[in-house]
Amino acid sequence: MTTTANSPARTDLEFKRIDASKPAGDQIFGSIKHAILNMDLQPGCIVSEAEIAAKFGASRTPVREAFMRLREAGLVVTYPSRGNFVSRLNKEKILEARYLREALEMANIRRLASGGLPSASHDRLLENLQAQEDAAAIGDAVVFGNLDDVFHLELAEATGFPRAAQVLEKEKMVLDRLRVLSLRDKNHLGFLKDEHARIFEAICAQDLSEAVRFGELHFSSILKVLSDLEIRHSDYFDD
């Protein structure tokens, strides 16, 4: 990939070839989305439809379909006569997503701390926290990030409201790239794991005030991370 002046080239980036038994557009969209959210394709990087088609061994039609969906998701922007670019991080959109996510997650925490945690959810969360501890101990940010997702989605699903997890999944996408940057700090992994454990323990004890307190502390930390990363990676953010 060629890039803007602020982003390193990623000509080494490879993708799996298209599985002919599945819709090509879905596969291309999923792979490019994953590469963007995991910062393999960095903010400001130009992405060529022709090059993507060649890398996937696909025609231009499913590639155009995938790019349309990426634009709708806010992950790619298109400038006439210039091409398609990975969108830069936008502070206002991040703050909005954080606001919406916090409102939903705190509602989940309050419901579970008041009404109790289903035993199956309890066991899955306990296993998840142990895996988080293991990942943090060796500094595996990729595994830890996946476990972080599962932890919060498990809390949402434990409420018994299916759409709680669906809405959470949608809103967290705006924050995913910010999180990938923050998880590069290995000390931050242990910090997040401890915050998750405190929320879990307070929910299990049905201690509503402590669950709310630890939840609010957890989500307020996003603001500090945003401020720090905006300074350290200013070239990733909108002017």
Side-chain angles (χ1 to χ4, degrees), residues 1-238:
M1 307 292 171
T2 55
T3 64
T4 62
N6 291 330
S7 301
R10 288 305 310 269
T11 55
D12 61 325
L13 200 60
E14 297 295 335
F15 300 100
K16 289 183 179 179
R17 305 290 281 188
I18 294 298
D19 181 344
S21 67
K22 300 176 183 178
D26 289 348
Q27 295 176 67
I28 296 169
F29 170 74
S31 294
I32 301 299
K33 173 185 170 183
H34 183 270
I36 291 173
L37 295 180
N38 283 277
M39 300 293 282
D40 293 324
L41 286 173
Q42 297 175 348
C45 176
I46 188 170
V47 280
S48 160
E49 289 188 8
E51 189 173 349
I52 291 295
K55 282 183 174 290
F56 280 99
S59 70
R60 295 289 289 273
T61 298
V63 174
R64 291 193 184 100
E65 174 193 330
F67 271 68
M68 180 180 68
R69 293 171 63 185
L70 289 165
R71 283 191 289 271
E72 291 173 349
L75 297 176
V76 165
V77 292
T78 301
Y79 298 109
S81 303
R82 292 181 57 196
N84 301 300
F85 294 80
V86 176
S87 64
R88 294 187 182 275
L89 298 172
N90 181 280
K91 182 176 180 178
E92 286 69 30
K93 290 181 179 178
I94 289 171
L95 290 175
E96 179 184 49
R98 179 256 182 185
Y99 174 83
L100 294 171
R101 177 178 174 180
E102 181 178 1
L104 177 57
E105 296 243 35
M106 291 306 301
N108 295 340
I109 288 171
R110 288 187 177 92
R111 179 176 175 83
L112 296 174
S114 299
L117 190 64
S119 59
S121 299
H122 173 279
D123 294 344
R124 287 192 292 268
L125 286 165
L126 195 60
E127 183 178 350
N128 176 278
L129 286 168
Q130 181 58 60
Q132 284 186 42
E133 184 171 353
D134 295 341
I138 61 174
D140 193 328
V142 174
V143 170
F144 188 93
N146 291 333
L147 292 166
D148 185 1
D149 283 343
V150 172
F151 177 83
H152 288 283
L153 288 174
E154 184 64 48
L155 289 179
E157 290 172 357
T159 65
F161 296 129
R163 286 190 62 217
Q166 295 170 12
V167 174
L168 180 61
E169 181 73 17
K170 178 181 177 181
E171 291 303 325
K172 84 175 187 64
M173 187 170 68
V174 180
L175 301 169
D176 276 347
R177 290 188 287 175
L178 186 71
R179 186 187 62 174
V180 167
L181 289 174
S182 71
L183 293 183
R184 290 176 180 174
D185 178 355
K186 305 307 180 185
N187 293 327
H188 192 54
L189 304 184
F191 178 75
L192 289 176
K193 181 266 298 180
D194 290 342
E195 288 188 334
H196 291 155
R198 292 188 187 102
I199 293 170
F200 173 72
E201 290 164 4
I203 288 174
C204 291
Q206 290 190 257
D207 188 333
L208 179 59
S209 62
E210 284 294 272
V212 168
R213 183 169 75 88
F214 288 131
E216 289 176 342
L217 285 172
H218 183 57
F219 296 112
S220 66
S221 67
I222 293 177
L223 294 178
K224 183 179 185 304
V225 169
L226 175 59
S227 297
D228 291 345
L229 293 176
E230 193 176 9
I231 293 171
R232 288 160 49 194
H233 299 283
S234 60
D235 54 323
Y236 289 163
F237 285 78
D238 284 339

